[in-house]
Amino acid sequence: MDPQVQENNFRAFLKRNSSYNLLSLFNMDTQQHQSPNTKRFKQHPAVVFNELDDQITLFQSKTCDYLVLNETGSAIWQALQATQTLNQICDLLCAEFNVERSVCIQETTNWLEQAINKNIIVTVAE
């Protein structure tokens, strides 16, 4: 399959299945002063989750938000069972979804931004 077609399919997949608004993940006013490549992420400890079919449902107990993650979001969530960097997450996603790395980094960064905003993941100090 043509790499451009794969990239467009992946972008379309993420857009169809995203329910978040975009924020700036690496805003130096609100985030730790780490480069995007070394920033580490993990699941928020207050989030309760369960897998139903091929999707993961989340409940953020502090904000009472209930979310259902699509296949891509579920893969990211599962990767964050251990503390991961953006590059580590994209290594897993590129292998699983056969997507171009630059697209994966851009779209995963957007997902992480939104997840931080929803308090379902946190950044970890090194």
Side-chain angles (χ1 to χ4, degrees):
M1 179 180 274
D2 178 21
Q4 185 62 41
V5 171
Q6 287 178 334
E7 178 178 330
N8 290 340
N9 288 344
F10 186 72
R11 283 179 191 248
F13 175 78
L14 289 174
K15 286 180 183 177
R16 280 193 314 269
N17 294 294
S18 178
S19 62
Y20 302 115
N21 293 322
L22 300 180
L23 297 173
S24 176
L25 175 62
F26 303 111
N27 180 339
M28 292 303 183
D29 294 333
T30 59
Q31 298 294 326
Q32 299 170 7
H33 297 298
Q34 290 179 292
S35 113
N37 294 329
T38 61
K39 188 173 288 214
R40 299 172 60 79
F41 307 91
K42 70 175 186 175
Q43 297 172 348
H44 193 293
V47 174
V48 178
F49 64 96
N50 193 16
E51 187 171 349
L52 299 171
D53 298 321
D54 291 331
Q55 297 178 326
I56 293 182
T57 58
L58 305 175
F59 178 72
Q60 198 340 323
S61 60
K62 290 185 177 183
T63 62
C64 294
D65 283 332
Y66 177 80
L67 304 165
V68 178
L69 301 179
N70 62 25
E71 183 181 9
T72 308
S74 295
I76 296 170
W77 179 259
Q78 289 172 336
L80 293 174
Q81 287 180 1
T83 302
Q84 302 280 346
T85 65
L86 174 62
N87 284 330
Q88 290 169 323
I89 296 166
C90 284
D91 289 343
L92 298 169
L93 294 175
C94 286
E96 184 173 342
F97 294 103
N98 193 26
V99 63
E100 188 176 314
R101 186 161 191 84
S102 63
V103 173
C104 186
I105 288 173
Q106 179 183 358
E107 298 299 330
T108 302
T109 298
N110 291 341
W111 190 95
L112 294 169
E113 291 171 355
Q114 297 160 38
I116 287 172
N117 184 49
K118 291 288 188 181
N119 294 313
I120 61 170
I121 67 168
V122 294
T123 57
V124 180
E126 290 194 38

